[in-house]
Amino acid sequence: MRIAVSGGGPGGLYFAALAKQLNPAHEITVWERNAPDDTFGFGVVFSDETLGGIEHADTAIFDAMRSEFARWDDIDVHYRGTTFTSGGHGFAAMSRKKLLNILQQRCLDLGITINFRTDAPDLSDYDLVVASDGVNSGLRAKYASTFRPTLETRRCKYIWLGTDLVFDAFKFYVLDTPAGIMQVHGYPYSRDASTFILEMHDDVWQRAGFTAPQGLRPGESDEKSIEMIRELCAEILSGHQVSANNSKWTNFTTVRCATWRHGNVVLLGDAAHTAHFSIGSGTKLAMEDALSLAACLHEQSSVDEALHAYEAERRAVVTSTQRAAQASLEWFENIGQYADQDPHQFAFNIVTRSRRVTYDNLRLRDPEFVADLDAWFARDHDEVRPPMFQPYRIGDLELRNRVIVSPMDMYSANEDGLPTDFHLVHLGSKALGGAGLVMTEMVCVSETGRITPGCTGMYAPEHEQAWQRVTDFVHANTDAKIGIQIGHSGRKGSTKLMWEGIDEPLPEGNWEVCGPSPIPYSPANQTPRELSHDELQEIKEQFVASAEGAVRAGFDLLELHCAHGYLLSSFLSPLTNQRTDEYGGSLENRLRYPLEVFDAIRAVWSGPITVRVSATDWCEGGIDAEESVEIARAFAEHGANGIDVSTGQVVSTEKPAYGRSYQTPYADRIRNEIGRKYGVAVIAVGAISSYDDVNSLILAGRADLCALGRTHLYDPHWTLHAAAEQDFPIAWPKPFAAGSRKPQGGRTDGPKPRLDLIRRGEPKTAHARWRG
């Protein structure tokens, strides 16, 4: 087979070497536009897992690499005059130039032709064309209509440098300068040198007086900026030198492609995907791609089958890595919001920023580090315990732990909105399960404010009596508190029960729906009636009456539902509110009616109030993270005790970025920009399924509490079981005490992932859209 490789970076060269070894009959030619000794950057990083694959695939390459490795186990966080060290991480790095030399020599030894200083010619007569030509791939651009790439330029500038200061660990230096927060990423890559990257938000870069010089030739470095960096980082460098190699300011570009193949042309490495350097993944991903592509080519009977198998095998892994890299990238973009965190919390936060390293993971790697953090977190409490089991206060309401059973619509009420024995058992069992707070589903403020005929209400005396039966049970039999979430369905009402067709209109018996503007949720749904001022006043009074009913029914907390496209949410979003009066237009106007309803409820409800918001509409032109902060600020200024941060479900055309804990970055931002300033509790929700995630989120200061929904459907006693798994002695209900000992044979921490998915990346998760 005649194989052409465009791009002589580590990925392209490694593929060529592996493919030639697997089949010496292949005729392989590599084209590289640079000279053999040209390389940009300094060190490249590998995890132990990646090195294991390289060793298995080609011992000659691995042995040559191993002799060059600088290894470390520790991550040092230097912040506000402190240094925190987290151990047990297991990485290796080496000179990028040495790596290229090793791979070039291996290719030459195997009889592979490498054309240096030569752009790839027309490759149409080759059996296979491997595009490993980097982030600015010419082949990807040539066939862009097939690959359908998206290139997202991010908001931090960074410059890649080297230094003769040999670090003894991976180093994060956080610099609090007059211009704002900057960070140094540093790690050793040889016996006498380290990589030294300075990164900062675009705004900080401008305030610091850096500029992008004009007229630099290819290969030239930005010497003016480098001299400024020498002065700025003089204390870190302690007299050591900083070196440059085509070093210029740049913004990271995240590359994603709809597919990686066009006929016999296949993308590899940065040409197909990029992942932010803060998780050390670029060269690692490219070489893993190369290994997979070479193996698939050898195992499959045709190029077409090989390319299909390659993408199927690698995409899940790459997607998982990009998700982690995106979390890390965004953390550094928003590092300023953590500037006043205690150094203990900041250190844990930065180490766990990608969500791949967690509380439990760190406890295994470095138990002393986590024990120190637990002791710090317990400073205002009676005893050291896992973060999720430290008590918390929302307003005047004391919760025994940080776990909330999230509101989840059950669609099991009587036709007149009356809660039934099902709700008693459902909520009672969750309260017996150990959570600090149990929330009802959205309880509707009127008959026509229901989502479905199976939704509960609080608009009649018999509703109060039925709900009081539930609250009495919870208070008499558990230490949990119980909250009610009240709302109005708006334009998303008059639909089928979820399992009959979520958000689909009823086939008969429909009631008229309403909203801020006559915009249907989808073409299949009713067009809502635009509410008049008198109707707005009437609905506000219905909210007040429901709140008064909640007082009489004995609830401990009230949550106002301003999320998921229901009535109050639809006033907030510009996609659903196109009014031209005082309730539409600017964010201030769109907030007006939800705040009026909130203020009216606050006048009759003296207990704690939380507000559930959708922090993004997941749709262009809708609410985004910036506006969600201002929405949270407005409710905090009006006296909300907590913000329950969900996302989406506002428009049917949304495109959510599903993944583990995918909504938590929004809670994180709101907590660190609004929550701490106003003393408002921030609740994180969204695909949080393990106690490890709960502990990680809370200890890092990304949320004060975590609400879990599907997890509690899987295991109503999840919190009790989480305590048993962590050997924390939580009080069990007396009738259940005999079962409080941890069963032998492993964790009970949620559904077990499929083993066949672990081999190629993170387990897949179903994302049914539970409404609530």
Side-chain angles (χ1 to χ4, degrees), residues 215-221 246 248:
L216 288 180
R217 292 189 297 271
E220 280 192 310
S221 299
N246 191 33
K248 309 177 183 67

Side-chain angles (χ1 to χ4, degrees), residues 486 540 543-544 547 558-562 568 591-605 607-612 634-643:
I486 62 173
K540 180 170 66 175
F543 272 96
V544 171
L558 185 146
E559 179 164 283
L560 183 63
H561 203 328
C562 295
L568 299 183
L591 268 161
R592 191 182 306 275
Y593 184 64
L595 289 174
E596 286 180 2
V597 172
F598 178 89
D599 291 342
I601 291 171
R602 175 48 88 191
V604 300
W605 175 272
I609 301 182
T610 61
V611 179
R612 173 165 277 202
F635 281 110
E637 290 175 345
H638 278 247
N641 303 106
I643 305 295

Side-chain angles (χ1 to χ4, degrees), residues 395-537:
D396 293 331
L397 184 66
E398 182 80 21
L399 304 179
R400 59 176 172 170
N401 58 54
R402 310 294 184 99
V403 179
I404 299 174
V405 176
S406 192
M408 293 174 285
D409 290 318
M410 293 287 105
Y411 313 102
S412 298
N414 287 344
E415 285 286 331
D416 57 3
L418 188 71
T420 66
D421 286 349
F422 175 90
H423 297 87
L424 175 65
V425 174
H426 162 58
L427 295 170
S429 67
K430 306 303 184 292
L432 288 167
L437 175 65
V438 176
M439 293 297 302
T440 70
E441 61 196 81
M442 185 175 91
V443 177
C444 304
V445 299
S446 68
E447 183 178 13
T448 56
R450 292 176 299 161
I451 309 165
T452 76
C455 291
T456 60
M458 181 68 89
Y459 50 84
E462 54 268 29
H463 295 153
E464 295 177 25
Q465 295 163 12
W467 282 120
Q468 185 171 358
R469 185 167 171 245
V470 176
T471 62
D472 284 349
F473 177 88
V474 171
H475 293 145
N477 294 279
T478 80
D479 294 327
K481 306 301 181 184
I482 183 166
I484 182 173
Q485 183 189 73
I486 62 173
H488 188 294
S489 60
R491 70 179 192 149
K492 293 179 73 177
S494 190
T495 59
K496 298 176 182 178
L497 305 184
M498 184 188 68
W499 46 86
E500 295 175 351
I502 190 167
D503 294 326
E504 295 179 9
L506 292 170
E508 57 184 19
N510 281 282
W511 56 87
E512 186 180 27
V513 299
C514 60
S517 301
I519 303 170
Y521 177 67
S522 78
N525 293 91
Q526 291 184 56
T527 298
R529 182 184 73 258
E530 182 172 313
L531 290 165
S532 68
H533 285 210
D534 288 344
E535 288 170 323
L536 292 176
Q537 178 63 29

Side-chain angles (χ1 to χ4, degrees), residues 718-736:
W718 180 83
T719 308
L720 295 178
H721 295 155
E725 289 290 340
Q726 297 174 85
D727 297 316
F728 177 70
I730 191 174
W732 281 54
K734 291 179 181 178
F736 294 173

Side-chain angles (χ1 to χ4, degrees), residues 77-85 174 331 338-351 369 372-373 376 379 676 699-700:
V77 180
H78 299 262
Y79 174 66
R80 285 171 45 185
T82 67
T83 301
F84 283 84
T85 298
V174 181
W331 193 94
Y338 309 116
D340 60 348
Q341 277 192 334
D342 183 279
H344 293 81
Q345 190 164 63
F346 185 91
F348 181 78
N349 200 351
I350 196 171
V351 172
F369 176 70
D372 180 55
L373 293 169
W376 167 79
R379 66 199 183 282
R676 289 189 293 145
L699 185 56

Side-chain angles (χ1 to χ4, degrees), residues 53-221:
I54 293 173
E55 181 178 17
H56 179 74
D58 187 322
T59 55
I61 289 176
F62 178 79
D63 289 343
M65 290 173 62
R66 180 166 52 185
S67 66
E68 303 290 340
F69 284 152
R71 288 187 174 273
W72 70 88
D73 289 322
D74 292 345
I75 296 175
D76 288 349
V77 180
H78 299 262
Y79 174 66
R80 285 171 45 185
T82 67
T83 301
F84 283 84
T85 298
S86 170
H89 294 278
F91 283 93
M94 65 181 296
S95 160
R96 189 173 192 275
K97 184 173 183 178
K98 287 284 180 69
L99 175 62
L100 285 173
N101 292 158
I102 290 168
L103 294 171
Q104 289 165 359
Q105 188 60 52
R106 183 62 170 154
C107 286
L108 294 174
D109 291 345
L110 291 168
I112 295 165
T113 301
I114 308 177
N115 298 303
F116 292 106
R117 301 186 181 90
T118 308
D119 288 325
D122 177 33
L123 304 174
S124 57
D125 58 342
Y126 281 83
D127 300 306
L128 173 65
V129 177
V130 179
S132 59
D133 48 349
V135 66
N136 297 312
S137 170
L139 284 169
R140 189 188 64 222
K142 182 177 181 179
Y143 302 113
S145 60
T146 299
F147 294 127
R148 301 192 302 274
T150 59
L151 280 69
E152 181 183 40
T153 302
R154 300 304 305 189
R155 298 180 295 166
C156 277
K157 282 195 166 51
Y158 67 95
I159 189 168
W160 205 288
L161 303 166
T163 177
D164 61 355
L165 171 61
V166 182
F167 295 127
D168 58 358
F170 194 105
K171 300 280 189 177
F172 289 117
Y173 290 95
V174 181
L175 311 179
D176 192 357
T177 76
I181 299 293
M182 306 176 187
Q183 60 271 1
V184 170
H185 310 246
Y187 57 86
Y189 67 84
S190 73
R191 296 178 183 86
D192 53 13
S194 299
T195 292
F196 191 92
I197 304 169
L198 183 65
E199 183 185 27
M200 66 199 75
H201 194 282
D202 285 340
D203 296 341
V204 176
W205 183 83
Q206 290 180 352
R207 289 195 295 268
F210 290 109
T211 58
Q214 303 298 313
L216 288 180
R217 292 189 297 271
E220 280 192 310
S221 299

Side-chain angles (χ1 to χ4, degrees), residues 704-726:
D704 299 297
L705 306 108
C706 290
L708 297 86
R710 287 181 284 275
T711 301
H712 280 110
L713 297 180
Y714 179 83
D715 180 1
H717 297 153
W718 180 83
T719 308
L720 295 178
H721 295 155
E725 289 290 340
Q726 297 174 85

